[in-house]
Amino acid sequence: MTVYADNAATTKMSRTAIDAMLPYMESIYGNPSSLHSVGQVAAEALCEARRTVAEVLNASPKEIYFTSGGSESDNQAIRSAALSGKKQGKTHIVSTRFEHHAVLHTLKKLESEGFEVELLDVGPIGTVTAEQVKRAIRPETCLVTAMFANNEIGSVLPIEEIGKVCRERGVVFHTDAVQAAGHLHIDVKAMNIDMLSLSAHKFHGPKGVGALYVRTGVKLLGLIEGGDQERGKRAGTENIPGIVGMAAALKEAADHIDENAAKVSALRDRLIEGLSRIPHSALNGDPANRLPGNVSFCFEGIEGESLLLLLDAKGICASSGSACTSGSLDPSHVLLAIGRPHEVAHGSLRLTLSAENTDEDIDLILRETPAVVERLRDMSPVWKDLVKGRRQFVL
Ligand SMILES: *Cc1c(COP(=O)(O)O)cnc(C)c1O
């Protein structure tokens, strides 16, 4: 038996998404830019998918641009807002310390191009308040980019309040909603969101396809030059099977959003309660405003990597933080941002659930994890030092 508990890294495609895509790989192969009937059938599917994605976000279809995923959407939104701002002499950008690397690395690049980037502290539970954003905004601020929900520790930010502050001050507000889309209610109008990124493979759709919402009136610059696809903002023949699959997956997720959140958060709470019993452990992230499927812990005196390997041998697929930093020896920037010391940040475990998980999955995780942690601690020289008092416990 394999228990898949790494849904923040990617999700299994839903039957609905696969079934929606199949005709567009088998028989409806036209290029939507072609004027003949074969192309026009594909163009209609593209139109319909755009309508569906817009409807779920409470946007208008002309505000939706299809991309290759969350990373591309983040890059385009941020770069576009920054360069548009620069033309008006505004080169100050506000963001947070615990964004995804698609955001942080784009900001780093912009910094080297002369922009001033201010990253807000996220505090011990890992969140940012609208008040912090308000204080950071200056007359020369061209963009606030803050994630909807964090991919490592699951904190959900007060997006509606942050959006309100940005709108009042006339600053473009982008949110990386890759972890939120399909899992939390999103209303771009009510939340005053100007730009929003999402990615299909995080809500049981296909990989390599995403969307960027850009409010009418907010300027969008393209990253990829070429043909006139996506109203001239994103060249390249559209990924029709992917786009159709994404729309189907998003609609399915939106139709079951409350029911799935109730089911998944009940599993999550059982896991959090059970893992909290492990001595010298701590939950990471906001205990109250939290993604339904996110469980993130630090265990003192162990290495997250070894924990993952031993859990995998027991049939449990988990993660130590983000899929992007695994393989590197640096501890997660998110765990450091919430104040975990290096040695504690190394002993992290992220379990991210979906509606496909069951109570039996949770039973298995709760049976195996404490034993594996104990086994690793027994072998750890650091743990020995802690127990013997040669080193202070942090957790
Ligand atoms: C997965 C993820 C991304 C990247 O999305 P891709 O479609 O894999 O490029 C960006 N931001 C967050 C918060 C994510 O979880």
Side-chain angles (χ1 to χ4, degrees):
M1 170 169 138
T2 300
V3 171
Y4 185 74
D6 199 11
N7 286 278
T10 198
T11 57
K12 179 181 168 186
M13 275 184 69
S14 75
R15 193 68 246 166
T16 308
I18 296 170
D19 287 343
M21 290 171 79
L22 284 175
Y24 295 91
M25 294 191 274
E26 288 172 342
S27 49
I28 312 174
Y29 51 81
N31 184 325
S33 298
S34 300
L35 295 179
H36 48 65
S37 49
V38 171
Q40 284 312 296
V41 181
E44 273 165 36
L46 184 61
C47 219
E48 183 59 35
R50 206 181 303 280
R51 256 200 302 275
T52 303
V53 173
E55 208 172 298
V56 170
L57 301 176
N58 192 25
S60 140
K62 62 181 192 304
E63 296 174 312
I64 303 299
Y65 298 85
F66 293 123
T67 68
S68 68
S71 300
E72 185 187 326
S73 295
D74 284 343
N75 273 257
Q76 186 169 5
I78 293 168
R79 201 154 260 287
S80 171
L83 298 185
S84 305
K86 194 175 183 178
K87 287 193 187 127
Q88 306 163 44
K90 298 179 174 185
T91 55
H92 178 245
I93 301 171
V94 177
S95 187
T96 79
R97 284 200 189 287
F98 72 165
E99 296 295 311
H100 190 273
H101 281 146
V103 169
L104 286 181
H105 291 175
T106 303
L107 293 175
K108 191 113 215 119
K109 196 90 180 288
L110 286 169
E111 227 170 11
S112 75
E113 294 168 23
F115 287 87
E116 186 189 343
V117 176
E118 188 171 339
L119 299 181
L120 301 175
D121 286 332
V122 297
I125 61 167
T127 195
V128 161
T129 63
E131 188 53 37
Q132 276 176 285
V133 174
K134 194 174 183 172
R135 279 199 301 269
I137 291 176
R138 307 184 205 150
E140 62 277 16
T141 305
C142 58
L143 169 69
V144 170
T145 173
M147 69 201 317
F148 206 115
N150 185 274
N151 48 304
E152 289 190 37
I153 60 175
S155 298
V156 178
L157 271 55
I159 290 300
E160 191 166 349
E161 286 89 331
I162 295 173
K164 189 159 173 275
V165 163
C166 294
R167 189 63 55 86
E168 279 165 10
R169 302 292 300 270
V171 177
V172 172
F173 175 42
H174 166 255
T175 184
D176 173 341
V178 174
Q179 289 293 330
H183 304 284
L184 301 174
H185 289 280
I186 299 178
D187 181 328
V188 291
K189 286 203 178 75
M191 296 175 164
N192 289 311
I193 296 166
D194 293 317
M195 298 173 131
L196 176 143
S197 307
L198 59 81
S199 177
H201 76 103
K202 303 290 176 76
F203 50 78
H204 305 281
K207 291 164 184 60
V209 60
L212 175 61
Y213 153 81
V214 183
R215 181 171 67 83
T216 303
V218 173
K219 192 161 171 55
L220 182 65
L221 306 174
L223 292 181
I224 301 171
E225 305 300 332
D228 206 28
Q229 292 90 355
E230 298 299 297
R231 301 176 303 289
K233 306 300 184 190
R234 205 278 183 179
T237 302
E238 300 87 345
N239 172 5
I240 298 294
I243 290 167
V244 167
M246 170 166 67
L250 187 60
K251 168 107 178 61
E252 185 180 36
D255 287 346
H256 300 278
I257 200 161
D258 292 324
E259 158 198 346
N260 285 346
K263 181 188 170 193
V264 176
S265 55
L267 297 175
R268 172 199 67 189
D269 293 344
R270 263 195 73 204
L271 250 188
I272 291 178
E273 206 209 70
L275 294 178
S276 300
R277 299 213 180 110
I278 296 176
H280 303 286
S281 67
L283 177 71
N284 298 312
D286 193 329
N289 299 308
R290 192 173 189 90
L291 282 170
N294 178 287
V295 176
S296 169
F297 270 85
C298 279
F299 301 109
E300 198 153 9
I302 63 162
E303 281 290 339
E305 308 275 296
S306 327
L307 180 58
L308 292 189
L309 293 178
L310 293 183
L311 287 177
D312 190 36
K314 304 282 183 192
I316 300 164
C317 300
S319 154
S320 59
S322 92
C324 322
T325 42
S326 53
S328 92
L329 286 174
D330 294 334
S332 141
H333 69 285
V334 176
L335 297 175
L336 296 180
I338 60 169
R340 300 284 185 225
H342 274 248
E343 66 276 19
V344 172
H346 272 300
S348 62
L349 174 68
R350 179 186 74 177
L351 297 153
T352 43
L353 309 170
S354 82
E356 299 231 329
N357 287 112
T358 62
D359 270 309
E360 289 69 45
D361 292 352
I362 306 303
D363 293 340
L364 181 77
I365 298 171
L366 288 178
R367 205 163 49 240
E368 299 297 347
T369 312
V372 169
V373 169
E374 194 173 306
R375 194 174 140 202
L376 287 171
R377 281 175 171 171
D378 284 344
M379 300 188 297
S380 155
V382 174
W383 183 252
K384 223 161 263 148
D385 284 353
L386 287 165
V387 171
K388 295 225 163 97
R390 287 193 291 259
R391 194 194 258 260
Q392 293 288 309
F393 279 108
V394 181
L395 303 180

